[in-house]
Amino acid sequence: MRINYNATAMMAVNRLNVNDENLSVSTGKLSSGYKINRAKDNPSGYAMSRKMRAQLEGLMQARDNSDTGVNIMKAVDGALSEVHDMLQRINELAIKGSTGTWSNGDRELMDEEVQKLKEEIQRISETFEFNGQKLLDGSFQLKGYTDNINIKVASYGENVQVGVYEFDLSIFDDNTLFDVDGNLIEEAFNTPDAAANPTVSVRADPDDPTKAAAPGTVFPDEFDKTVEVNNKSGAVITATGPDGNNIKLHVSDVNGTIVTLEDQTGFKMELDIREGVVGTGANPVNINVTGLGAMTIQVGANEGQELDVEIPNIGIKELGIDIANTKTKEDSLMTIERVGAAIDKLSSIRSKLGAYQNRLESIVTSNEVNHENMTGAYSNILDTDMSEEYTKYATYQVLSQASTSVLAQANERPSQVLQLLQ
């Protein structure tokens, strides 16, 4: 028997410390509900759980982002619904003004309402906003730029490849007609497949006989002038794209100064001809299609999981009704055609935005399902199995009590040496 070093007591202390540590860890798991409370509990599991937590929180934020996108689409569609109603009213007034039972004085009264409706459409385009951001003024429309000061890119389709396009706009030659407001004379482009040298009769501006007058302007007969418009059969435009391939386009519509170029492959671009002669084969127009400008919504938890939503400009110029009026029977007939095209364009815009809304709603549902499944995996890694852990806790508790009892007995052994000295 030894009294200087009580090895038995040391052994009991070591086991008591181990059992106390296990009991402490088990108590922590039971009280927190997590089986990984510190990195040392399960280093790899801890790292995985932190990454999963970021994904889970990111998915919920992405769901909220998509939900906000849905609300934006609903708000925009509500505004466009009002614009649709106003276009229908303008169309109704134009049809009313096109009949011969009304005098021009009556049509002037109708036109007052037409102009007010146009002003309201333009006001909605310029001022409609969501959370302080204007939505219908072209702020979230795909952007493009040209190297000609007289041309700007009004819009282009999502399927147009990003890059620089070289356009031969030789159909807009030196004899292209513009009125005093800078608008193209529409008659020059209505029959691109007609004879090579058609003629168009216009009235000249009395201050500048070489320039056409505004539609509806009446001047003395001495200002009549016949202008020859050359090579209207050349209405097919060749565009050389960034891939080196040529795209054959044709002028499908001329609304004021907005010229629409499209082909059968779905390539579509609108150019805004501001003034004057714009370009010839010897001096082509280069158009830089950037693919930028749309509203980018983060719809996933990771980088690059985005949805670009394009919201077109719905101003009266972009809709092609900037010069629409019902002052005369001819003007009313012209307005019927323009408003019909505007209604078709607006319907196409609403259909596209509706598709965005459906897609965003699907993303919301998908993110919620993904979050649910990932939460299950996250729980498997991190959550404590309470019944299993309580069994361990009871075991550690018994072992700790046993170790304490054994330690007490081990500490009593040195005192038994005194019996040898009696």
Side-chain angles (χ1 to χ4, degrees), residues 57-246:
E57 292 179 351
L59 279 172
M60 284 296 92
Q61 185 58 58
R63 181 204 62 182
D64 293 343
N65 293 347
S66 303
D67 231 354
T68 302
V70 170
N71 292 330
I72 290 175
M73 294 302 101
K74 289 179 179 178
V76 170
D77 189 64
L80 296 185
S81 176
E82 292 300 315
V83 175
H84 236 145
D85 291 343
M86 286 185 277
L87 288 176
Q88 294 288 4
R89 178 57 180 166
I90 294 174
N91 186 59
E92 180 184 338
L93 292 168
I95 293 173
K96 184 177 182 180
S98 65
T99 184
T101 58
W102 303 102
S103 68
N104 282 346
D106 296 327
R107 294 187 181 95
E108 287 278 358
L109 295 175
M110 298 176 199
D111 189 57
E112 288 183 12
E113 183 178 353
V114 169
Q115 299 310 315
K116 292 300 180 184
L117 290 170
K118 286 168 55 179
E119 289 176 10
E120 179 59 17
I121 291 173
Q122 187 64 28
R123 187 196 69 79
I124 292 175
S125 169
E126 294 174 354
T127 63
F128 181 81
E129 58 182 43
F130 184 97
N131 193 31
Q133 295 191 94
K134 290 182 171 57
L135 298 178
L136 297 174
D137 64 345
S139 297
F140 294 107
Q141 187 166 282
L142 295 173
K143 302 296 189 295
Y145 307 93
T146 78
D147 61 355
N148 189 312
I149 194 173
N150 295 319
I151 306 175
K152 69 176 182 179
V153 178
S155 68
Y156 54 87
E158 291 180 328
N159 62 334
V160 177
Q161 182 182 350
V162 173
V164 178
Y165 290 78
E166 183 181 90
F167 281 85
D168 174 6
L169 300 181
S170 56
I171 61 165
F172 301 108
D173 54 27
D174 290 339
N175 291 317
T176 298
L177 305 179
F178 290 84
D179 63 28
V180 291
D181 294 324
N183 297 318
L184 288 168
I185 299 298
E186 188 169 285
E187 290 81 0
F189 303 97
N190 282 342
T191 55
D193 297 324
N197 295 303
T199 59
V200 179
S201 294
V202 298
R203 289 190 180 275
D205 185 336
D207 297 326
D208 183 3
T210 65
K211 193 172 184 180
T217 304
V218 178
F219 295 106
D221 291 340
E222 59 265 25
F223 292 110
D224 283 352
K225 183 181 180 181
T226 298
V227 180
E228 186 174 87
V229 183
N230 293 326
N231 194 26
K232 298 324 298 172
S233 61
V236 174
I237 301 173
T238 300
T240 302
D243 55 3
N245 296 327
N246 289 332

